[in-house]
Every structure is written in structure tokens, then in C-alpha cells.
Amino acid sequence: MSDRKPIVGGNWKMNTNRAESAELARGVVDGLRDVTNVDVAVFPPYPYLLAVRAILRERSSSLRLGAQDVYHKPDGAYTGEVSTEMLRDCGVEIVLCGHSERRHVLGESDAVVNLKLRAIVDSGMEAVLCVGETLDERIAGHTDPVIQRQVRAGLADVTGDHVSSVTIAYEPVWAIGTGKTATPDDAQSVHANIRRLIAGMYGQDTAERMRIMYGGSVKPSNAAELFKAPDVDGGLIGGASLKVGEFVPIVRAAMAAARGQV
Ligand code: 13P
């Protein structure tokens, strides 16, 4: 890890109920009171955003409220969709786009991901652009071209000013929810390539400032090793973010990595 402030996100996906989301939010807030050198965000399901926001406020927490997705149109006849303004109205500051489950289960294309990303940053929120190759793509040796395509397409027409509101999450699809994790060397290599690509697109300074998180079966037992890699600036956590006893130690691993203690 470098002098970039690490960021760790808890993507709760389509999990928890009203009581569980409140309990999880309280547990995470209370467990991370002393953490200042890591940005921490939670991404609850839409119906629980307001309840989680109320908990963050009542406890004066610095945890950031995130949303798992958004629709790019400002309003209108888009049944079932949610706009950036609705999210902002609910206190959301940071939004995922292009998560592999959106791409591969819900069929979102690179072009749709780009529309969403632009809507998020245009509205003044931060975007997390998720990219990652499938197992078949990795076996075929296509990891780098796939990631390059997703990053270039995701950031198409995003200006240098707006790109400072973007974090990239590298989440190899084969590592998500499978218990298989990229080795720190594999993650480092892809992250370094993404940073080189950003340098080519936006210049070295922007690339040095851009945070690139790793996601895919991050656990307390492997977080420290992953976060030690120089281009890994934190993690996007799925399954382990649903348990306070796992998410808190993962954030603490990022905190220790940022202090050079691992
Ligand atoms: P898991 O941590 O459950 O593998 O999920 C990772 C992820 O998809 C986070 O967005």
C-alpha cells in the first residue's frame, strides 16, 4: 500500500433484513470508532439506506453510506429503477457501478456501466467502477485485455476533473463468493496494469492518486497480505462484510497496512 488513503467497502448485496441491517450497521460503527486512516463505506440494499443513515448519524460516524447500483436517467417511467438524486436524497455519497453480478447476472454492458458512472459523478457522488475477468477469460490469457476494455469503456467521456471521484475495484469474477482469492502477486499485477492504463489516459498524477480496491473472497485471514501489495488500496468485501467479527478485522488490516505495520 502507498500513501493513498485506503478504502474498504462492505457490499451487503441482496442480504439482511431490516433488523439485521440495523444491527450490522451498529456493530460496524461501534467496532471502527477509532479508525481514521481508512475510508470505510457500507452498501446496504436500497430499502435499508435510510435506516442505516440514521444509525450513522445518531452515532456521529465517519462511515460513508453507499448504494449498490443506480439508474442513469434523472427521472421518468423506469419502473423499479432508482436515480442519482433519489440516492443523494437518502444521504448516499458513493455508488457501485459495473459490479460483476450486474454485468453477468443482470446483463449490463460496458456502455450501460459508463452511462451509470457518468450519472454518478455528474451528480457529485463518488463512483466505484467494478471490473474483473471471468475464469474462462483468465484461463484463455485474456485478463489484461478484458480489464483494459472495461476500464476504458467505463471511463469513456469522463473528464480529468471527474475521474478524481472514481475508485476502481478489481474483482476477478472467479474469486467472488467462491472462497478462491487472487494471490497478492496476481492482484498486484492487475492493479499495476490498471494504474499504468490510467496514467496513459489521465496522466501520472491522476494515476498515483487513484485508489484501486481488490474484491473477491477477502477474509480476515488473507486481508493483510493483499493490502500489503503496493497498488492494492483496500478492498470491496462481500460475504465477510455481513459479519461484524470479520469486517472489522479486515478494515483493521487496511489500517495496519496504511501505517506500514504489516
Ligand atoms: P465476496 O467477498 O463474497 O467474494 O464478494 C466480493 C464482492 O463481490 C464485493 O463486491
Side-chain angles (χ1 to χ4, degrees):
M1 213 174 258
S2 67
D3 52 7
R4 289 177 290 275
K5 188 177 187 184
I7 172 165
V8 178
N11 176 7
W12 298 357
K13 307 192 179 181
M14 199 173 74
N15 293 299
T16 69
N17 59 27
R18 194 150 56 98
E20 287 162 356
S21 64
E23 194 186 329
L24 183 53
R26 283 193 197 99
V28 170
V29 167
D30 292 348
L32 295 175
R33 275 212 175 285
D34 56 319
V35 174
T36 51
N37 63 345
V38 180
D39 277 339
V40 183
V42 288
F43 298 85
Y46 290 144
Y48 310 135
L49 283 172
L50 285 175
V52 171
R53 176 171 76 159
I55 290 165
L56 301 186
R57 288 204 165 166
E58 102 207 349
R59 284 166 149 74
S60 306
S61 173
S62 59
L63 251 74
R64 307 179 63 208
L65 186 64
Q68 298 174 17
D69 190 36
V70 70
Y71 194 59
H72 59 278
K73 296 281 188 180
D75 50 43
Y78 303 105
T79 302
E81 295 297 340
V82 167
S83 72
T84 53
E85 283 315 304
M86 291 172 184
L87 294 180
R88 277 164 48 90
D89 205 14
C90 293
V92 168
E93 294 174 40
I94 179 163
V95 186
L96 306 182
C97 59
H99 191 279
S100 83
E101 288 139 23
R102 304 289 324 167
R103 292 177 190 265
H104 298 292
V105 183
L106 285 307
E108 282 185 13
S109 64
D110 282 326
V112 166
V113 174
N114 174 249
L115 288 172
K116 292 186 175 194
L117 185 142
R118 281 159 47 202
I120 296 164
V121 295
D122 284 350
S123 76
M125 294 187 290
E126 288 180 39
V128 179
L129 170 62
C130 304
V131 298
E133 81 286 5
T134 63
L135 184 58
D136 286 350
E137 289 164 340
R138 170 159 282 252
I139 290 169
H142 294 160
T143 300
D144 288 340
V146 168
I147 301 300
Q148 281 203 16
R149 189 202 75 226
Q150 292 176 340
V151 171
R152 279 190 193 283
L155 294 176
D157 297 322
V158 176
T159 62
D161 283 352
H162 274 168
V163 85
S164 58
S165 308
V166 178
T167 297
I168 292 180
Y170 169 55
E171 301 201 294
V173 180
W174 49 270
I176 296 177
T178 58
K180 296 193 184 91
T181 315
T183 64
D185 284 350
D186 283 342
Q188 168 58 26
S189 150
V190 175
H191 284 226
N193 285 341
I194 294 174
R195 202 174 303 286
R196 262 192 294 279
L197 177 62
I198 297 295
M201 294 168 72
Y202 293 99
Q204 195 61 34
D205 284 356
T206 301
E208 286 302 326
R209 280 195 302 269
M210 167 140 328
R211 295 185 295 186
I212 307 174
M213 339 157 72
Y214 168 79
S217 298
V218 178
K219 307 180 262 275
S221 58
N222 59 24
E225 282 303 307
L226 286 160
F227 297 162
K228 235 184 347 186
D231 285 292
V232 175
D233 306 313
L236 187 55
I237 320 302
S241 74
L242 297 170
K243 296 188 184 125
V244 175
E246 294 192 12
F247 189 65
V248 166
I250 290 171
V251 175
R252 291 197 176 280
M255 191 169 130
R259 289 188 179 146
Q261 289 171 344
V262 286

Tab-separated table of all heavy atoms in Angstrom, residues 11 13 96 99 101 171 175-178 215-218 236-240, ligand 1:
chain	number	residue	atom	x	y	z
A	11	ASN	N	-20.042	-4.559	0.746
A	11	ASN	CA	-21.156	-4.696	-0.196
A	11	ASN	C	-22.074	-5.796	0.326
A	11	ASN	O	-21.764	-6.974	0.209
A	11	ASN	CB	-20.594	-5.044	-1.585
A	11	ASN	CG	-21.688	-5.293	-2.603
A	11	ASN	OD1	-22.871	-5.079	-2.320
A	11	ASN	ND2	-21.307	-5.753	-3.776
A	13	LYS	N	-24.848	-6.706	-0.736
A	13	LYS	CA	-25.603	-7.364	-1.819
A	13	LYS	C	-27.073	-7.515	-1.411
A	13	LYS	O	-27.601	-6.670	-0.694
A	13	LYS	CB	-24.940	-8.692	-2.192
A	13	LYS	CG	-23.447	-8.506	-2.521
A	13	LYS	CD	-22.813	-9.706	-3.155
A	13	LYS	CE	-21.342	-9.404	-3.458
A	13	LYS	NZ	-20.640	-10.497	-4.101
A	96	LEU	N	-21.698	1.975	-6.346
A	96	LEU	CA	-21.031	0.973	-7.179
A	96	LEU	C	-21.609	1.014	-8.587
A	96	LEU	O	-22.806	1.243	-8.767
A	96	LEU	CB	-21.268	-0.448	-6.634
A	96	LEU	CG	-20.914	-0.740	-5.174
A	96	LEU	CD1	-21.176	-2.224	-4.871
A	96	LEU	CD2	-19.464	-0.389	-4.883
A	99	HIS	N	-20.724	-3.772	-11.145
A	99	HIS	CA	-20.402	-4.965	-10.361
A	99	HIS	C	-20.597	-6.209	-11.226
A	99	HIS	O	-21.494	-6.249	-12.062
A	99	HIS	CB	-21.283	-5.037	-9.114
A	99	HIS	CG	-20.795	-6.085	-8.164
A	99	HIS	ND1	-21.091	-7.415	-8.333
A	99	HIS	CD2	-19.978	-6.010	-7.091
A	99	HIS	CE1	-20.481	-8.106	-7.380
A	99	HIS	NE2	-19.807	-7.287	-6.618
A	101	GLU	N	-21.934	-8.931	-10.738
A	101	GLU	CA	-23.278	-9.527	-10.721
A	101	GLU	C	-24.244	-8.709	-11.588
A	101	GLU	O	-25.170	-9.256	-12.182
A	101	GLU	CB	-23.758	-9.661	-9.269
A	101	GLU	CG	-22.993	-10.775	-8.567
A	101	GLU	CD	-22.570	-10.484	-7.147
A	101	GLU	OE1	-23.177	-9.628	-6.487
A	101	GLU	OE2	-21.600	-11.134	-6.690
A	171	GLU	N	-12.288	-6.937	-9.260
A	171	GLU	CA	-12.925	-8.097	-8.647
A	171	GLU	C	-12.967	-9.229	-9.670
A	171	GLU	O	-13.891	-9.283	-10.498
A	171	GLU	CB	-14.352	-7.756	-8.224
A	171	GLU	CG	-14.445	-6.620	-7.231
A	171	GLU	CD	-15.752	-6.652	-6.461
A	171	GLU	OE1	-16.814	-6.457	-7.061
A	171	GLU	OE2	-15.705	-6.941	-5.265
A	175	ALA	N	-13.294	-15.179	-8.299
A	175	ALA	CA	-12.942	-15.096	-6.872
A	175	ALA	C	-14.117	-14.615	-6.026
A	175	ALA	O	-14.038	-14.610	-4.801
A	175	ALA	CB	-11.755	-14.159	-6.690
A	176	ILE	N	-15.216	-14.217	-6.680
A	176	ILE	CA	-16.328	-13.617	-5.931
A	176	ILE	C	-17.219	-14.706	-5.352
A	176	ILE	O	-17.807	-15.484	-6.097
A	176	ILE	CB	-17.137	-12.656	-6.827
A	176	ILE	CG1	-16.261	-11.478	-7.251
A	176	ILE	CG2	-18.380	-12.174	-6.099
A	176	ILE	CD1	-16.943	-10.503	-8.186
A	177	GLY	N	-17.284	-14.736	-4.050
A	177	GLY	CA	-18.171	-15.671	-3.366
A	177	GLY	C	-17.768	-17.123	-3.512
A	177	GLY	O	-18.549	-18.024	-3.197
A	178	THR	N	-16.559	-17.377	-3.986
A	178	THR	CA	-16.138	-18.752	-4.245
A	178	THR	C	-15.170	-19.276	-3.197
A	178	THR	O	-14.862	-20.455	-3.176
A	178	THR	CB	-15.409	-18.838	-5.603
A	178	THR	OG1	-14.287	-17.942	-5.556
A	178	THR	CG2	-16.315	-18.462	-6.755
A	215	GLY	N	-11.381	-6.982	-4.720
A	215	GLY	CA	-12.530	-7.694	-4.162
A	215	GLY	C	-12.577	-9.119	-4.665
A	215	GLY	O	-12.205	-9.394	-5.818
A	216	GLY	N	-13.039	-10.010	-3.810
A	216	GLY	CA	-13.158	-11.426	-4.187
A	216	GLY	C	-12.644	-12.293	-3.059
A	216	GLY	O	-11.435	-12.492	-2.935
A	217	SER	N	-13.586	-12.747	-2.201
A	217	SER	CA	-13.252	-13.644	-1.089
A	217	SER	C	-12.174	-13.085	-0.165
A	217	SER	O	-11.311	-13.828	0.312
A	217	SER	CB	-12.865	-15.032	-1.618
A	217	SER	OG	-13.966	-15.625	-2.301
A	218	VAL	N	-12.241	-11.763	0.088
A	218	VAL	CA	-11.337	-11.199	1.102
A	218	VAL	C	-11.866	-11.608	2.480
A	218	VAL	O	-13.066	-11.533	2.747
A	218	VAL	CB	-11.255	-9.656	1.004
A	218	VAL	CG1	-10.341	-9.098	2.105
A	218	VAL	CG2	-10.762	-9.227	-0.376
A	236	LEU	N	-13.063	-4.407	-1.508
A	236	LEU	CA	-14.528	-4.399	-1.579
A	236	LEU	C	-14.970	-5.789	-1.133
A	236	LEU	O	-14.636	-6.792	-1.777
A	236	LEU	CB	-14.989	-4.081	-3.002
A	236	LEU	CG	-16.488	-3.870	-3.196
A	236	LEU	CD1	-17.051	-2.793	-2.266
A	236	LEU	CD2	-16.794	-3.482	-4.644
A	237	ILE	N	-15.685	-5.813	-0.016
A	237	ILE	CA	-15.902	-7.069	0.698
A	237	ILE	C	-17.367	-7.479	0.568
A	237	ILE	O	-18.268	-6.675	0.845
A	237	ILE	CB	-15.559	-6.897	2.204
A	237	ILE	CG1	-14.289	-6.036	2.412
A	237	ILE	CG2	-15.446	-8.244	2.890
A	237	ILE	CD1	-13.037	-6.550	1.756
A	238	GLY	N	-17.617	-8.720	0.178
A	238	GLY	CA	-18.988	-9.219	0.082
A	238	GLY	C	-19.345	-10.010	1.330
A	238	GLY	O	-19.689	-9.443	2.372
A	239	GLY	N	-19.240	-11.329	1.232
A	239	GLY	CA	-19.670	-12.216	2.320
A	239	GLY	C	-19.162	-11.810	3.698
A	239	GLY	O	-19.927	-11.773	4.673
A	240	ALA	N	-17.874	-11.485	3.787
A	240	ALA	CA	-17.295	-11.176	5.103
A	240	ALA	C	-17.789	-9.836	5.644
A	240	ALA	O	-17.608	-9.551	6.837
A	240	ALA	CB	-15.764	-11.184	5.013
B	1	13P	P1	-17.127	-11.863	-1.757
B	1	13P	O1	-16.263	-11.109	-0.756
B	1	13P	O2	-18.317	-12.516	-1.129
B	1	13P	O3	-16.306	-12.779	-2.596
B	1	13P	O4	-17.744	-10.755	-2.744
B	1	13P	C1	-16.912	-9.815	-3.300
B	1	13P	C2	-17.752	-8.789	-3.966
B	1	13P	O5	-18.399	-9.078	-4.964
B	1	13P	C3	-17.795	-7.450	-3.391
B	1	13P	O6	-18.436	-6.549	-4.229
